[in-house]
Structure formats: C-alpha cells, structure tokens
Amino acid sequence: MSFSNLKKQSNLGSLTAKLVQQVEKMNKTSGSGDDRLWKPEVDKAGNGYAVIRFLPAPDGEDLPWAKLYTHAFQGTGGWFIENSLTTLGQKDPVSEHNSQLWNSGIESDKEIARKQKRKLSYYANIYVVKDSANPHNEGQVFLYKFGKKIFDKITAAMQPEFEDEDPINPFDFWVGANFKLKIKKVAGYWNYDSSEFDRQSALLDDDDAMESIWKKEYSLAELVAPDQFKSYDELKKRLDYVLGNAPSRSRVNEDLEDESEGRGSFTPDFKSSTPPASSDGGFNDPDITPSNTSEDEDDALSYFAKLAEE
C-alpha cells in the first residue's frame, strides 16, 4: 500500500472499520476457545447434569479415545505449559527432573515434584444427547476432554467387577449406552462419582443418521501426533528458564507479562499452588496424577497454551 492510498483510506475511515473488525474477531476468538470441545456447566451450587454418548473410533483410526499427558506449573521464570513426551513413550525433561527430586529423599524436593507432576487427560468424540444448560449443543458432535475418573467408569463398563453384570462397549452405536454425567462440587472440585451409564440401547434407530454422525467425528490421532510435541531439547531449554537456570528470555513469558491481569487466579477454581490431595489418598509417584484432581485447571491450561501458540 502506498502512502497516498494510506491517506485516502484514512479519510474514508476504512482503516478504523477494519481495526474494529479485528478487535471484535479477537474478542470472539479469545472467549470461545476451541469450538470442537464440549464442556458441561454447573449451577451456582456446583451441580451439573448432561447426557452424552461416547462415539466409535473415527474412520481410519483404531481407538475411540486419545490419551495425553501435559505439564502445567509455575517457576521463578514463568509458566511451563507443554505436552509431555511421555505421551509418546519418550523421555521428557520434566519427568526426569521430577524423578531426581523425588529420589533425593528430601521432603521439600518431593513437594516440588508434586507441584510439577504431569496431568493425564483423555479425549473422545461424543454426541450430546441432553444439555439443559446449552440446548443448542444437543444433537451435535464434539470432542470431550475428561480425566481418569470418567475413564475408569468406561473401563468398568467394559470389564464389570461382578459376574451378574454384562460387559458393554460404551463406544458402540448399536449396543452401547448413554452416559449420564452427574457433577457435584466436593471440597471445591468437580466430582463425577455419581455419573453412570444408562441401559444398553442404540443411539438412534436410523443407521443412515448414525453414519452421518460418525462422519462428523474429529480425528483423535491428530491430537497426539508427533507434531503436537516440542523436542526434548526445546522442552529442556524452556524448563531451565522456568526454573531460573537459564539467562535467555522466552517469548511465552513475555506474553504472560503482557497479560498481567491474567496472572494469579485465572479461573475461580484454579490454584497456582499444589492442588489438595485426592480423597482417595496420597500418591507416591510425582508424575502420576490423583484420580480426582480438579479438571477446572483445564481452563487455565488452555489459556496459557494459547498464549504459547501466538
């Protein structure tokens, strides 16, 4: 664009209009997050209810779920928000560092390792059967991110504990079962203990309609593809900086400083310190997440991961 054209657009006011459009676009994007992801909502008392159906593996993929380990913690040099290479069965610098701390035998080192432990998440395609908080989601296909507690319920349905219970495949269109997601707030965290599978039934009585749903599924393999992970050396460099062991400046930390209003308490339930131990008891492995650790931390994780991508 020439300077004369710049002046011409200024006189017409078109530049202002374009800038306003960009601001509106930025605000909309930052508020909506990933529109592929579905997340239940709770009322003021912390209770929530929805009915979802776990869907079969997408076309061309073997598993109906993806398993992902991540790290999210704050050090003297800022935040470390990264996918863990242990997801791919590879060495990860944070896990190695945590193991050294844990094996030192010093309780203060173990406490640091607990704060830096990896978090386990699962992803699956779901069909939303009932979502009273957001009825427009009903009948739609989404990705659903969930933790070990819900995955244990899926496993229990496939491998029931008692002989009078028939195993079911929760991901099957025809002989699977809807999942009644029941959320209660316990000790400040979302609790899923009351959630359960309904009786076995076909999702719909129309194969063509179910095939259409199947074709709308999102790839799960892409979520844990190698290109979603930084190299060992890149992660090690970032870890050293976050821990205060490197002089170089990180762009991620610069972005976080620019977002000064977002530092501290990012969502109502997010804590920058160590989350409380689970009601199931403590844990001895610094890189194993307790089964009922709060999933409300996901919002903060997504927030900072987005900054890291910009």
Side-chain angles (χ1 to χ4, degrees), residues 57-261:
D59 189 16
E61 299 186 13
D62 296 327
L63 287 176
W65 67 79
K67 180 179 178 180
L68 177 66
Y69 285 109
T70 56
H71 283 110
F73 58 88
Q74 188 177 28
T76 58
W79 281 88
F80 186 96
I81 309 288
E82 301 290 350
N83 290 341
S84 171
L85 286 170
T86 59
T87 303
L88 305 178
Q90 300 177 12
K91 295 190 303 181
D92 184 273
V94 179
S95 292
E96 291 178 343
H97 179 64
N98 284 347
S99 294
Q100 292 175 357
L101 291 171
W102 192 263
N103 293 330
S104 72
I106 302 173
E107 188 57 36
S108 60
D109 285 350
K110 289 185 176 182
E111 185 64 23
I112 294 173
R114 290 188 182 99
K115 292 179 180 180
Q116 298 173 171
K117 68 183 181 296
R118 66 185 182 179
K119 181 177 181 180
L120 172 60
S121 298
Y122 295 90
Y123 291 84
N125 281 285
I126 63 165
Y127 176 87
V128 179
V129 178
K130 182 179 180 61
D131 183 355
S132 299
N134 295 285
H136 59 273
N137 289 331
E138 296 176 1
Q140 304 297 319
V141 174
F142 293 93
L143 285 173
Y144 178 42
K145 180 181 179 181
F146 53 97
K148 185 177 181 297
K149 178 71 69 173
I150 291 178
F151 190 77
D152 285 346
K153 289 184 177 292
I154 293 173
T155 303
M158 294 188 291
Q159 299 176 316
E161 184 176 359
F162 301 101
E163 60 183 37
D164 64 338
E165 298 174 340
D166 295 324
I168 66 170
N169 176 5
F171 300 94
D172 193 282
F173 271 130
W174 296 273
V175 293
N178 292 343
F179 187 66
K180 295 185 286 187
L181 191 66
K182 302 177 181 180
I183 305 169
K184 295 181 293 186
K185 205 159 194 177
V186 178
Y189 293 104
W190 286 13
N191 181 281
Y192 301 89
D193 288 349
S194 299
S195 300
E196 60 183 348
F197 283 99
D198 204 345
R199 59 181 178 80
Q200 286 181 269
S201 65
L203 174 59
L204 302 172
D205 58 3
D206 184 341
D207 279 6
D208 290 338
M210 289 193 290
E211 182 180 9
S212 178
I213 291 171
W214 183 58
K215 290 180 177 179
K216 293 178 181 177
E217 290 188 29
Y218 300 98
S219 172
L220 298 171
E222 289 180 359
L223 300 175
V224 292
D227 62 4
Q228 299 299 308
F229 299 80
K230 292 182 180 178
S231 69
Y232 180 96
D233 290 341
E234 289 174 318
L235 293 173
K236 181 66 166 60
K237 182 178 180 181
R238 177 62 189 162
L239 175 63
D240 286 341
Y241 181 78
V242 168
L243 297 180
N245 299 330
S248 62
R249 192 167 179 81
S250 166
R251 180 183 175 188
V252 175
N253 197 48
E254 290 172 353
D255 286 340
L256 293 182
E257 290 179 354
D258 291 341
E259 296 287 341
S260 58
E261 291 183 358

Side-chain angles (χ1 to χ4, degrees), residues 31-47:
S32 61
D34 190 340
D35 58 9
R36 298 174 303 167
L37 287 170
W38 175 85
K39 186 173 183 179
E41 290 188 14
V42 297
D43 58 24
K44 293 181 179 179
N47 299 319

Side-chain angles (χ1 to χ4, degrees), residues 5-6 12 14 27 48 55 81 103 131 149 200 251 255 263 266 287 297:
N5 286 335
L6 180 64
L12 294 174
S14 57
N27 289 338
L55 298 177
I81 309 288
N103 293 330
D131 183 355
K149 178 71 69 173
Q200 286 181 269
R251 180 183 175 188
D255 286 340
R263 298 173 76 93
F266 311 106
D287 255 353
E297 295 177 5

